[in-house]
Amino acid sequence: MSRFSRARLNKEADGFEREAKRSDEAARDGDRAAKDPNLDPYNQGVASSCASTARSNAREYRHIASVLRGGEIPDNVQLD
């Protein structure tokens, strides 16, 4: 069990959920840019890659939030 209170872990989880939503928005922006006919193929590819990274980040943030809500702190997360 964590040395942090359940309330603190839930508060931290809420922050990761907010970041997940921001990453979802970034992924949608990247998807739109990847389809923008005004962009050259290189920049469309960059936008597509960025969208993929943003989706991956969102999944990771949601996973961390889930673990925090379960009362644990993931190994890759440092809480101060």
Side-chain angles (χ1 to χ4, degrees):
M1 186 63 175
S2 167
R3 64 184 171 97
F4 294 99
S5 70
R6 180 68 72 168
R8 168 73 189 277
L9 294 178
N10 286 337
K11 180 180 175 184
E12 296 291 340
D14 291 345
F16 280 99
E17 285 290 343
R18 282 190 300 278
E19 291 304 316
K21 289 178 184 178
R22 289 181 61 203
S23 291
D24 287 337
E25 290 174 23
R28 285 190 294 276
D29 287 344
D31 287 337
R32 279 191 291 274
K35 296 174 187 173
D36 186 341
N38 296 313
L39 293 178
D40 60 80
Y42 173 80
N43 284 308
Q44 287 175 328
V46 169
S48 178
S49 179
C50 290
S52 177
T53 299
R55 276 190 290 279
S56 176
N57 290 344
R59 283 190 299 274
E60 180 68 14
Y61 292 143
R62 286 193 174 92
H63 172 74
I64 291 169
S66 174
V67 173
L68 288 167
R69 286 197 173 93
E72 298 296 326
I73 300 172
D75 291 337
N76 61 337
V77 174
Q78 180 70 33
L79 300 181
D80 298 319

